[in-house]
Amino acid sequence: MNGDGQSAVSAARTGEAAAASCPADGAAASGSGGCPIALDPLSLDPLVGRLAEETEALRTAGPLTRIDLMGAEAWTVTTHAEARKLLTDTRLVKDITRWNLWRSGEVDESWPLIGMIDAGRSMFTVDGAEHRRLRVKTAQALTPRRLEAIRPVVERITGRLLDAMAARAAEAPDAPLDLKPAFAQPLPMSVVCSLMGVEPELEPRLHRLYEAFFSMLTPQDERLAVIKELDDLYAEMVRDKTASPGDDLTSALILADEGGEPLTAEEVRGNLEAMVAAGHETTVTLILCAVRALLTHPDQLRLVLDGQVGWDAVIEETLRWESPSTHLLMRFATSDIEVGDVVVGEGEGVVMSYRAIGRDRAQHGADADCFDVRRATPIRHLSFGHGPHICPGAALSRLEASVALPALFERFPALSLAVPVTEIRNRPVLTQNELESLPVRLR
Ligand code: STR
C-alpha cells in the first residue's frame, strides 16, 4: 500500500498526523488466506495506528469476511453496499438463542463480549412487531422537533463544564487538561441521565461501571458483577418511577400503552439500560474525535470558524471517519443467506464493522481515509446504522455535538493538543472507538 516498506502502524502514525497529504493508512492484509481476522484489542498496542491496520485488513479481505472475536468466530460486513442490504434483511435477527455457538454452549457467560449481545429484553435485542412496540415511544421522544425542548438542558450543562474548565485555566494557564473527563464524558452522560430521569449523583458511579464493562482488560467475573450491579440499579429505578412517575422518558415508558399492551418492567429496564449505555458512550467519542480531527487539520478548522463550512459537516464527517461504533455485535442468520460468493450459514453470527464501512472507498472515494469536511454529500455514512434498528438517538447526539463543539472553540479559541497526536491512545475496547484521553491546552 505505502510502497516504501513502512509498517502499517508507523505509516498510520505519520499518515494520520500529517493529514494534509493524507496517505492511505495501508497495512498488509492478514485475513485473506482463509483464516479469520482476529479482532483483539489486547494483542497489539491500542494506538490509533492499530485501528488503521485492523480497518485496512478488513477492507482488503472483502465485503463479508470471517473474524475472530476473542475466541468466537463470526462474519463481519465491511462495505457500505452490503451493510445497507443486510441491515434490512429480516433473515438476520438479534435473538441470541438463534446463535449456533450459544446453542452448542461454545459461547457462554465466560465470553468477554457476552454483555454486548445478551443485554436483556429491549429495543436493542428484539425484532419485528415486538421491536416496534418496544421502540416507538423512545423514537417519538427523540425526534429533532421534540428534542428542541432538551436544547436548553444541553446548553446549560455545556456552559457549566466550560466555566469549570475556564476556572482551571485561570489557575494554571499552562497545565494540560484532559478534555475527556472535563468535557466530552460528562456532557452526554448528564444529558441522557436528565432525559431518562436518572439522579445526577449516580453519574460518577455509572462512568466507573461502564468503563469496566467495555474494557477487555476487565476480568470476566468482575464484568459479570458490573453487569449485575447495573441491572439491579436500573431495576430499582424502574420500581421507584412506577411508584412515583416523574417528567422523564423512563416514566413515559412505564406509562406507555402501546397497542393496548404496556411495556413490562423488564422491557422498561432494558430500554433504560440501552439508552444510558448508548446515549453516553458513543457521543463522548463523537465529541473527542471531532476535536482531535479539527486540531490536526487546522485548515479545516479555519473554514468552520470562518463560517464557510457548517458544524453539521464536521459532525457528519467525524461520524464517517471515526465511527464511534467500530464493530456492532451481533445479528444471527435464521436461514442460509447468500452474499456474493459466500454463504452465511443458518445460526452464524454477523457483525457490522462500521469503522471499515465508513472508510469504504467504493462508497466514499479513493480518499476515504482523509478527513475532509468539504465532501459533497456528507450524510451518506452508515454510522447510525440503517433499517429498523437505526439509532433512535441520532438526533440527540447531533444536537449535543452541535452545541458542544462551537461552544468549546468559541470559549477557547487557542485550543491545541498538548501531546503529539500519535500519543493519543485508544482504550482496550473491541466494539467502540474509545479514546483513553485527549490532553489539550486551553490557551
Ligand atoms: C451495553 C450494555 C447494556 O446494558 C445495554 C446495551 C444495549 C445498547 C447497546 C449497548 C449495550 C452497547 C453500546 C451500543 C448500544 C446500542 C448502540 C451502542 C451497541 C449492549 C453503540 O455502540 C452503537
Side-chain angles (χ1 to χ4, degrees):
M1 274 295 151
N2 300 294
D4 61 358
Q6 251 185 321
S7 82
V9 173
S10 69
R13 281 176 184 170
T14 49
E16 298 217 343
S21 55
C22 192
D25 47 356
S30 55
S32 42
C35 103
I37 297 170
L39 305 185
D40 186 347
L42 310 180
S43 66
L44 282 161
D45 192 12
L47 283 170
V48 198
R50 157 82 183 106
L51 265 183
E53 185 184 359
E54 179 187 285
T55 303
E56 183 57 21
L58 288 172
R59 256 192 325 207
T60 312
L64 238 87
T65 193
R66 297 291 288 169
I67 49 166
D68 179 336
L69 295 162
M70 313 204 73
E73 273 194 39
W75 292 99
T76 193
V77 182
T78 66
T79 66
H80 185 101
E82 282 311 336
R84 260 187 81 95
K85 266 190 248 150
L86 289 170
L87 284 166
T88 50
D89 191 321
T90 53
R91 294 171 295 177
L92 285 176
V93 298
K94 298 286 203 97
D95 178 3
I96 190 176
T97 67
R98 307 303 289 255
W99 195 12
N100 52 15
L101 299 183
W102 180 254
R103 285 162 170 263
S104 68
E106 279 163 81
V107 163
D108 60 21
E109 295 253 293
S110 65
W111 185 53
L113 291 162
I114 193 64
M116 295 300 296
I117 302 172
D118 191 19
R121 191 176 157 81
S122 77
M123 58 187 161
F124 186 70
T125 54
V126 165
D127 294 278
E130 283 292 272
H131 174 243
R132 283 188 289 281
R133 180 182 141 258
L134 290 184
R135 175 180 158 116
V136 62
K137 198 91 213 164
T138 304
Q140 284 168 354
L142 297 175
T143 60
R145 200 176 54 84
R146 291 277 298 276
L147 284 174
E148 277 309 307
I150 305 220
R151 180 184 290 274
V153 176
V154 179
E155 288 171 346
R156 180 168 47 72
I157 297 168
T158 302
R160 179 167 50 70
L161 295 168
L162 290 175
D163 289 346
M165 285 165 60
R168 282 179 59 176
E171 263 173 43
D174 297 323
L177 172 131
D178 183 355
L179 201 63
K180 189 178 180 186
F183 187 66
Q185 207 171 30
L187 173 63
M189 180 65 98
S190 299
V191 171
V192 81
C193 285
S194 154
L195 177 75
M196 301 309 293
V198 175
E199 295 296 330
E201 292 70 36
L202 278 172
E203 291 173 26
R205 182 166 158 211
L206 289 172
H207 281 302
R208 275 200 312 280
L209 289 168
Y210 283 113
E211 269 177 20
F213 173 83
F214 283 108
S215 170
M216 290 294 105
L217 287 175
T218 305
Q220 186 59 7
D221 53 344
E222 236 174 79
R223 190 190 332 275
L224 292 174
V226 162
I227 293 172
K228 168 98 175 46
E229 189 175 335
L230 285 166
D231 285 351
D232 292 348
L233 199 63
Y234 291 118
E236 190 189 313
M237 283 182 221
V238 173
R239 273 198 303 276
D240 289 351
K241 288 195 187 293
T242 305
S244 54
D247 182 20
D248 53 63
L249 184 50
T250 307
S251 301
L253 292 178
I254 292 168
L255 299 171
D257 185 11
E258 294 317 327
E261 221 189 312
L263 304 194
T264 66
E266 192 207 341
E267 291 166 343
V268 175
R269 192 201 66 185
N271 276 356
L272 171 61
E273 289 199 287
M275 281 296 294
V276 177
H280 86 279
E281 166 64 34
T282 49
T283 311
V284 177
T285 300
L286 170 58
I287 294 171
L288 288 179
C289 287
V291 172
R292 176 172 65 178
L294 290 172
L295 294 181
T296 49
H297 298 77
D299 51 326
Q300 299 193 42
L301 175 59
R302 218 1 63 231
L303 289 176
V304 179
L305 295 179
D306 289 349
Q308 287 171 261
V309 170
W311 284 100
D312 53 338
V314 173
I315 293 166
E316 300 312 318
E317 179 65 351
T318 304
L319 286 163
R320 178 194 73 78
W321 197 56
E322 293 272 30
S323 175
S325 166
T326 45
H327 306 285
L328 194 124
L329 275 50
M330 201 177 339
R331 289 172 168 82
F332 309 102
T334 54
S335 62
D336 288 358
I337 304 175
E338 244 184 86
V339 184
D341 53 6
V342 306
V343 176
V344 176
E346 179 185 349
E348 290 183 326
V350 179
V351 169
M352 292 290 152
S353 286
Y354 283 115
R355 184 181 174 88
I357 292 167
R359 304 290 189 107
D360 182 356
R361 295 195 182 100
Q363 176 67 17
H364 300 290
D367 67 346
D369 285 325
C370 296
F371 178 79
D372 184 359
V373 297
R374 285 152 301 193
R375 278 174 202 281
T377 47
I379 314 189
R380 287 188 312 173
H381 63 77
L382 291 181
S383 296
F384 287 121
H386 177 65
H389 285 277
I390 191 168
C391 177
L396 178 59
S397 73
R398 285 175 168 134
L399 169 65
E400 289 177 30
S402 73
V403 169
L405 293 170
L408 174 71
F409 282 94
E410 192 174 309
R411 183 75 72 98
F412 303 110
L415 193 73
S416 63
L417 287 184
V419 297
V421 68
T422 50
E423 281 175 25
I424 297 166
R425 287 163 184 278
N426 268 43
R427 293 189 70 231
V429 176
L430 189 144
T431 54
Q432 319 294 128
N433 182 10
E434 192 185 324
L435 302 193
E436 181 84 61
S437 65
L438 190 68
V440 294
R441 280 184 217 289
L442 301 176
R443 308 184 192 284

Short mmCIF file of all heavy atoms in Angstrom, two decimals, residues 309-348:
data_model
loop_
_atom_site.label_atom_id
_atom_site.label_comp_id
_atom_site.label_asym_id
_atom_site.label_seq_id
_atom_site.Cartn_x
_atom_site.Cartn_y
_atom_site.Cartn_z
N VAL A 309 -17.92 26.53 6.26
CA VAL A 309 -18.42 25.16 6.37
C VAL A 309 -19.16 25.08 7.69
O VAL A 309 -18.72 25.64 8.69
CB VAL A 309 -17.24 24.15 6.35
CG1 VAL A 309 -17.71 22.75 6.71
CG2 VAL A 309 -16.56 24.15 4.99
N GLY A 310 -20.30 24.38 7.70
CA GLY A 310 -21.11 24.32 8.92
C GLY A 310 -20.60 23.26 9.90
O GLY A 310 -19.88 22.34 9.51
N TRP A 311 -20.99 23.40 11.17
CA TRP A 311 -20.63 22.39 12.17
C TRP A 311 -21.25 21.04 11.84
O TRP A 311 -20.73 20.00 12.20
CB TRP A 311 -21.04 22.86 13.57
CG TRP A 311 -20.11 23.91 14.08
CD1 TRP A 311 -20.32 25.25 14.09
CD2 TRP A 311 -18.79 23.70 14.63
NE1 TRP A 311 -19.22 25.91 14.60
CE2 TRP A 311 -18.27 24.97 14.94
CE3 TRP A 311 -18.00 22.57 14.87
CZ2 TRP A 311 -17.01 25.15 15.50
CZ3 TRP A 311 -16.74 22.74 15.41
CH2 TRP A 311 -16.25 24.02 15.72
N ASP A 312 -22.40 21.08 11.15
CA ASP A 312 -23.03 19.80 10.77
C ASP A 312 -22.10 18.99 9.87
O ASP A 312 -22.02 17.76 9.99
CB ASP A 312 -24.40 20.05 10.11
CG ASP A 312 -24.30 21.03 8.94
OD1 ASP A 312 -23.33 21.83 8.88
OD2 ASP A 312 -25.19 20.99 8.07
N ALA A 313 -21.35 19.67 9.00
CA ALA A 313 -20.42 18.95 8.11
C ALA A 313 -19.30 18.31 8.94
O ALA A 313 -18.86 17.19 8.65
CB ALA A 313 -19.84 19.89 7.06
N VAL A 314 -18.83 19.03 9.98
CA VAL A 314 -17.79 18.47 10.86
C VAL A 314 -18.33 17.22 11.56
O VAL A 314 -17.66 16.18 11.63
CB VAL A 314 -17.37 19.51 11.93
CG1 VAL A 314 -16.44 18.88 12.95
CG2 VAL A 314 -16.76 20.74 11.28
N ILE A 315 -19.55 17.31 12.04
CA ILE A 315 -20.14 16.20 12.79
C ILE A 315 -20.33 14.98 11.89
O ILE A 315 -19.95 13.86 12.25
CB ILE A 315 -21.48 16.67 13.42
CG1 ILE A 315 -21.19 17.74 14.49
CG2 ILE A 315 -22.25 15.50 14.01
CD1 ILE A 315 -22.42 18.50 14.95
N GLU A 316 -20.88 15.20 10.70
CA GLU A 316 -21.13 14.05 9.80
C GLU A 316 -19.82 13.43 9.32
O GLU A 316 -19.70 12.21 9.24
CB GLU A 316 -21.99 14.45 8.61
CG GLU A 316 -23.37 15.00 8.97
CD GLU A 316 -24.12 14.15 9.99
OE1 GLU A 316 -24.10 12.91 9.88
OE2 GLU A 316 -24.75 14.73 10.91
N GLU A 317 -18.81 14.26 9.04
CA GLU A 317 -17.53 13.72 8.57
C GLU A 317 -16.83 12.97 9.70
O GLU A 317 -16.19 11.93 9.46
CB GLU A 317 -16.66 14.84 7.99
CG GLU A 317 -15.28 14.42 7.49
CD GLU A 317 -15.30 13.45 6.29
OE1 GLU A 317 -16.36 12.94 5.90
OE2 GLU A 317 -14.20 13.18 5.74
N THR A 318 -16.96 13.46 10.92
CA THR A 318 -16.37 12.75 12.04
C THR A 318 -17.07 11.40 12.25
O THR A 318 -16.41 10.38 12.49
CB THR A 318 -16.46 13.59 13.34
OG1 THR A 318 -15.85 14.86 13.11
CG2 THR A 318 -15.76 12.89 14.49
N LEU A 319 -18.37 11.39 12.12
CA LEU A 319 -19.11 10.13 12.27
C LEU A 319 -18.65 9.10 11.24
O LEU A 319 -18.52 7.92 11.53
CB LEU A 319 -20.61 10.37 12.14
CG LEU A 319 -21.28 11.06 13.34
CD1 LEU A 319 -22.65 11.62 12.95
CD2 LEU A 319 -21.42 10.09 14.51
N ARG A 320 -18.42 9.57 10.02
CA ARG A 320 -17.96 8.65 8.97
C ARG A 320 -16.53 8.19 9.22
O ARG A 320 -16.23 7.00 9.19
CB ARG A 320 -18.00 9.35 7.60
CG ARG A 320 -17.48 8.47 6.46
CD ARG A 320 -17.20 9.25 5.18
NE ARG A 320 -16.01 10.08 5.25
CZ ARG A 320 -14.76 9.63 5.13
NH1 ARG A 320 -14.52 8.34 4.91
NH2 ARG A 320 -13.74 10.46 5.22
N TRP A 321 -15.66 9.15 9.49
CA TRP A 321 -14.21 8.89 9.55
C TRP A 321 -13.82 8.15 10.83
O TRP A 321 -12.91 7.33 10.84
CB TRP A 321 -13.48 10.24 9.47
CG TRP A 321 -12.04 10.19 9.12
CD1 TRP A 321 -11.49 9.62 8.01
CD2 TRP A 321 -10.97 10.77 9.86
NE1 TRP A 321 -10.13 9.83 8.02
CE2 TRP A 321 -9.78 10.53 9.13
CE3 TRP A 321 -10.88 11.50 11.05
CZ2 TRP A 321 -8.52 10.97 9.57
CZ3 TRP A 321 -9.64 11.93 11.48
CH2 TRP A 321 -8.48 11.66 10.76
N GLU A 322 -14.50 8.47 11.90
CA GLU A 322 -14.17 7.88 13.21
C GLU A 322 -15.44 7.31 13.83
O GLU A 322 -15.85 7.73 14.92
CB GLU A 322 -13.63 8.98 14.15
CG GLU A 322 -12.30 9.55 13.75
CD GLU A 322 -11.13 8.77 14.32
OE1 GLU A 322 -11.25 7.55 14.52
OE2 GLU A 322 -10.09 9.40 14.54
N SER A 323 -16.08 6.39 13.15
CA SER A 323 -17.33 5.83 13.66
C SER A 323 -17.19 5.44 15.13
O SER A 323 -16.32 4.64 15.48
CB SER A 323 -17.73 4.61 12.83
OG SER A 323 -18.88 4.01 13.40
N PRO A 324 -18.03 6.00 16.01
CA PRO A 324 -17.91 5.66 17.45
C PRO A 324 -18.09 4.15 17.70
O PRO A 324 -17.44 3.59 18.57
CB PRO A 324 -19.04 6.46 18.09
CG PRO A 324 -19.20 7.65 17.19
CD PRO A 324 -19.00 7.10 15.80
N SER A 325 -18.94 3.52 16.92
CA SER A 325 -19.09 2.08 17.00
C SER A 325 -18.17 1.48 15.94
O SER A 325 -18.39 1.64 14.75
CB SER A 325 -20.55 1.71 16.72
OG SER A 325 -20.65 0.34 16.47
N THR A 326 -17.11 0.79 16.38
CA THR A 326 -16.19 0.20 15.40
C THR A 326 -16.75 -1.11 14.85
O THR A 326 -16.66 -1.38 13.66
CB THR A 326 -14.81 -0.06 16.04
OG1 THR A 326 -15.00 -0.66 17.30
CG2 THR A 326 -14.04 1.24 16.20
N HIS A 327 -17.33 -1.91 15.75
CA HIS A 327 -17.93 -3.20 15.36
C HIS A 327 -19.21 -3.36 16.14
O HIS A 327 -19.18 -3.33 17.37
CB HIS A 327 -17.00 -4.36 15.69
CG HIS A 327 -15.62 -4.21 15.12
ND1 HIS A 327 -15.34 -4.39 13.78
CD2 HIS A 327 -14.45 -3.87 15.69
CE1 HIS A 327 -14.05 -4.17 13.57
NE2 HIS A 327 -13.49 -3.85 14.71
N LEU A 328 -20.33 -3.52 15.47
CA LEU A 328 -21.58 -3.70 16.20
C LEU A 328 -21.98 -5.18 16.24
O LEU A 328 -22.20 -5.81 15.22
CB LEU A 328 -22.71 -2.86 15.62
CG LEU A 328 -23.87 -2.80 16.61
CD1 LEU A 328 -24.24 -1.37 16.95
CD2 LEU A 328 -25.07 -3.57 16.14
N LEU A 329 -22.04 -5.69 17.47
CA LEU A 329 -22.41 -7.09 17.72
C LEU A 329 -23.89 -7.15 18.04
O LEU A 329 -24.36 -6.30 18.81
CB LEU A 329 -21.63 -7.62 18.93
CG LEU A 329 -20.22 -8.17 18.69
CD1 LEU A 329 -19.32 -7.27 17.89
CD2 LEU A 329 -19.59 -8.52 20.02
N MET A 330 -24.58 -8.12 17.67
CA MET A 330 -24.42 -9.03 16.58
C MET A 330 -25.80 -9.46 16.10
O MET A 330 -26.75 -9.38 16.84
CB MET A 330 -23.62 -10.28 17.05
CG MET A 330 -22.99 -11.01 15.90
SD MET A 330 -21.95 -12.45 16.25
CE MET A 330 -21.40 -12.37 17.91
N ARG A 331 -25.86 -9.90 14.88
CA ARG A 331 -27.11 -10.45 14.35
C ARG A 331 -26.88 -11.91 13.99
O ARG A 331 -25.74 -12.31 13.75
CB ARG A 331 -27.56 -9.64 13.12
CG ARG A 331 -28.06 -8.23 13.47
CD ARG A 331 -28.30 -7.40 12.22
NE ARG A 331 -29.02 -6.16 12.50
CZ ARG A 331 -28.48 -5.04 12.93
NH1 ARG A 331 -27.18 -4.98 13.16
NH2 ARG A 331 -29.21 -3.97 13.15
N PHE A 332 -27.96 -12.69 13.90
CA PHE A 332 -27.83 -14.12 13.64
C PHE A 332 -28.74 -14.51 12.48
O PHE A 332 -29.87 -14.01 12.36
CB PHE A 332 -28.19 -14.91 14.91
CG PHE A 332 -27.43 -14.41 16.10
CD1 PHE A 332 -28.05 -13.59 17.04
CD2 PHE A 332 -26.07 -14.69 16.25
CE1 PHE A 332 -27.33 -13.06 18.11
CE2 PHE A 332 -25.36 -14.17 17.31
CZ PHE A 332 -25.99 -13.36 18.25
N ALA A 333 -28.21 -15.39 11.63
CA ALA A 333 -28.94 -15.79 10.43
C ALA A 333 -29.98 -16.85 10.79
O ALA A 333 -29.63 -17.88 11.39
CB ALA A 333 -27.97 -16.33 9.38
N THR A 334 -31.25 -16.60 10.43
CA THR A 334 -32.30 -17.59 10.71
C THR A 334 -32.42 -18.60 9.58
O THR A 334 -33.18 -19.56 9.68
CB THR A 334 -33.67 -16.90 10.91
OG1 THR A 334 -33.93 -16.08 9.77
CG2 THR A 334 -33.67 -16.05 12.17
N SER A 335 -31.71 -18.35 8.47
CA SER A 335 -31.59 -19.35 7.40
C SER A 335 -30.31 -19.03 6.65
O SER A 335 -29.69 -18.00 6.90
CB SER A 335 -32.81 -19.28 6.46
OG SER A 335 -32.85 -18.01 5.84
N ASP A 336 -29.89 -19.91 5.75
CA ASP A 336 -28.69 -19.62 4.97
C ASP A 336 -28.92 -18.34 4.14
O ASP A 336 -29.97 -18.19 3.53
CB ASP A 336 -28.37 -20.78 4.01
CG ASP A 336 -27.84 -22.00 4.76
OD1 ASP A 336 -27.70 -21.91 6.00
OD2 ASP A 336 -27.59 -23.03 4.11
N ILE A 337 -27.91 -17.46 4.13
CA ILE A 337 -28.04 -16.23 3.35
C ILE A 337 -26.86 -16.14 2.40
O ILE A 337 -25.71 -16.11 2.84
CB ILE A 337 -28.06 -14.98 4.28
CG1 ILE A 337 -29.17 -15.08 5.33
CG2 ILE A 337 -28.22 -13.70 3.45
CD1 ILE A 337 -29.17 -13.95 6.36
N GLU A 338 -27.16 -16.09 1.09
CA GLU A 338 -26.10 -15.97 0.09
C GLU A 338 -25.74 -14.51 -0.09
O GLU A 338 -26.61 -13.68 -0.34
CB GLU A 338 -26.63 -16.50 -1.24
CG GLU A 338 -25.88 -17.72 -1.73
CD GLU A 338 -26.38 -18.12 -3.09
OE1 GLU A 338 -25.87 -17.56 -4.09
OE2 GLU A 338 -27.28 -18.98 -3.13
N VAL A 339 -24.46 -14.22 0.06
CA VAL A 339 -23.99 -12.84 -0.18
C VAL A 339 -22.80 -12.94 -1.11
O VAL A 339 -21.73 -13.37 -0.70
CB VAL A 339 -23.58 -12.16 1.13
CG1 VAL A 339 -23.19 -10.71 0.88
CG2 VAL A 339 -24.68 -12.23 2.18
N GLY A 340 -22.99 -12.55 -2.37
CA GLY A 340 -21.90 -12.68 -3.33
C GLY A 340 -21.45 -14.13 -3.41
O GLY A 340 -22.28 -15.03 -3.61
N ASP A 341 -20.17 -14.36 -3.16
CA ASP A 341 -19.69 -15.74 -3.29
C ASP A 341 -19.56 -16.45 -1.94
O ASP A 341 -18.92 -17.48 -1.85
CB ASP A 341 -18.37 -15.78 -4.07
CG ASP A 341 -17.33 -14.84 -3.49
OD1 ASP A 341 -17.61 -14.26 -2.41
OD2 ASP A 341 -16.25 -14.68 -4.09
N VAL A 342 -20.17 -15.89 -0.89
CA VAL A 342 -20.16 -16.62 0.38
C VAL A 342 -21.59 -16.89 0.85
O VAL A 342 -22.54 -16.27 0.40
CB VAL A 342 -19.39 -15.86 1.50
CG1 VAL A 342 -17.99 -15.50 1.06
CG2 VAL A 342 -20.15 -14.64 1.98
N VAL A 343 -21.70 -17.87 1.73
CA VAL A 343 -23.00 -18.18 2.33
C VAL A 343 -22.87 -18.04 3.84
O VAL A 343 -22.03 -18.69 4.46
CB VAL A 343 -23.45 -19.61 1.99
CG1 VAL A 343 -24.77 -19.93 2.72
CG2 VAL A 343 -23.63 -19.78 0.48
N VAL A 344 -23.68 -17.15 4.41
CA VAL A 344 -23.76 -17.06 5.86
C VAL A 344 -24.71 -18.17 6.29
O VAL A 344 -25.88 -18.17 5.92
CB VAL A 344 -24.31 -15.69 6.30
CG1 VAL A 344 -24.48 -15.64 7.81
CG2 VAL A 344 -23.38 -14.57 5.83
N GLY A 345 -24.18 -19.14 7.01
CA GLY A 345 -24.99 -20.30 7.36
C GLY A 345 -26.00 -19.99 8.46
O GLY A 345 -25.78 -19.10 9.29
N GLU A 346 -27.10 -20.71 8.44
CA GLU A 346 -28.10 -20.57 9.49
C GLU A 346 -27.42 -20.71 10.86
O GLU A 346 -26.61 -21.60 11.07
CB GLU A 346 -29.18 -21.64 9.35
CG GLU A 346 -30.20 -21.52 10.46
CD GLU A 346 -31.25 -22.64 10.44
OE1 GLU A 346 -31.31 -23.40 9.45
OE2 GLU A 346 -31.98 -22.74 11.44
N GLY A 347 -27.71 -19.78 11.76
CA GLY A 347 -27.17 -19.85 13.11
C GLY A 347 -25.85 -19.11 13.28
O GLY A 347 -25.37 -18.94 14.40
N GLU A 348 -25.26 -18.64 12.15
CA GLU A 348 -23.98 -17.93 12.27
C GLU A 348 -24.18 -16.46 12.64
O GLU A 348 -25.20 -15.86 12.30
CB GLU A 348 -23.16 -18.07 10.98
CG GLU A 348 -22.65 -19.50 10.80
CD GLU A 348 -21.77 -19.69 9.58
OE1 GLU A 348 -21.99 -19.05 8.54
OE2 GLU A 348 -20.85 -20.51 9.68
#
